Amino acid sequence: MTDIAAIMKTAPVIPVLVVDNVAQARPLAEALVNGGLRVLEVTLRTPAALDVIRAMSEVDGAIVGAGTVTNSAELDQAIAAGSEFIVSPGLTESLGKAAITAGIPFLPGTANAGDIMRGLDLGLTHFKFFPATAAGGIPALKALAAPFGQIKFCPTGGISEATAPDWLAIEPVLCVGGSWIAPRGTSDYVGVAETARKAAGLTI
C-alpha cells in the first residue's frame, strides 16, 4: 500500500502502540487485526520498537508503520525494519523531503497553519493533528482546517473511546490515532481484540 489516504481510510482508528517487549508484538498485532484494526502505528519510543515492527509485519493483514519518527536517520531505520508508512510528531523540510524521496506514505504532525503550508509546499495533503486535545481540541482543528479545504487529518493525542466519535464526525477527519486501544504493557489480548472491535465499528 503506497497511498497515505488509503491507509487512513482502512479503519476509523489507528492504534498508537508503545511496546517494550518484542515478545508481545505478534500476539498484540494479531489481537488488533482480529478486532478489525489493521493499521498499526508502533512508536519509536522504546529500544525494542524496530524489532517490534519487524515482528508485527509478519502478521497476516497487518499494515505496520513507525511513529515518533523525527529525522531521516530514524526514517531509514524504520523503513529497513519493514515499516509501510511513517508518522512524525511534526514536520521539517528535511524529513518531509526524505520521506518523499523514499516513496513511503508519510503522515507528519501539525498543530498550526505554518506547518500545513510547509507541507503543502512539499506536496503533502494529509496530516496528523497533534497533540489534538492539548492543541485546542475540536474547535482548534475546525478553525485550522477551514482555510485548507483539500487537507485531511488524523487527530492524535488525548483522544479516548468516548471522544473519538466526536472527532470522526468532523468532515476533514479520516481517522483518529488512539493509545487507549492497547495500553502500554498490556497482555490482555482478548480485551485488546474486543476494544479494537468496538473502535473498528465507529462510523466515519
Side-chain angles (χ1 to χ4, degrees):
M1 191 173 287
T2 57
D3 181 9
I4 192 63
I7 290 173
M8 292 170 71
K9 292 175 183 176
T10 301
V13 180
I14 297 177
V16 179
L17 308 171
V18 183
V19 185
D20 296 281
N21 185 351
V22 70
Q24 294 179 308
R26 189 175 185 94
L28 182 57
E30 289 172 344
L32 291 163
V33 171
N34 289 339
L37 300 183
R38 297 175 54 216
V39 179
L40 314 177
E41 177 189 336
V42 179
T43 63
L44 299 187
R45 300 182 192 175
T46 72
L50 294 173
D51 288 332
V52 169
I53 291 170
R54 291 186 183 95
M56 286 189 169
S57 296
E58 296 175 357
V59 173
D60 287 343
I63 302 166
V64 185
T68 325
V69 175
T70 61
N71 56 58
S72 58
E74 291 175 348
L75 174 80
D76 292 341
Q77 291 171 342
I79 293 172
S83 298
E84 295 186 59
F85 64 96
I86 299 295
V87 182
S88 176
L91 175 63
T92 63
E93 185 175 353
S94 59
L95 179 58
K97 287 183 175 178
I100 291 167
T101 298
I104 192 163
F106 179 49
L107 189 65
T110 179
N112 59 66
D115 284 347
I116 291 175
M117 292 166 67
R118 188 177 304 114
L120 286 170
D121 284 345
L122 294 171
L124 303 170
T125 56
H126 292 68
F127 298 89
K128 176 171 78 166
F129 179 57
F130 177 81
T133 300
I138 289 172
L141 179 57
K142 286 182 175 179
L144 185 62
F148 304 104
Q150 72 275 49
I151 301 300
K152 301 299 181 184
F153 293 95
C154 173
T156 303
I159 296 173
S160 67
E161 183 176 3
T163 62
D166 296 330
W167 287 96
L168 291 167
I170 305 172
E171 190 278 328
V173 171
L174 296 183
C175 61
V176 300
S179 58
W180 86 87
I181 305 291
R184 186 174 188 170
T186 185
S187 58
D188 178 12
Y189 304 120
V190 173
V192 167
E194 180 57 31
T195 302
R197 205 165 285 116
K198 291 178 183 177
L202 294 173
T203 56
I204 303 176

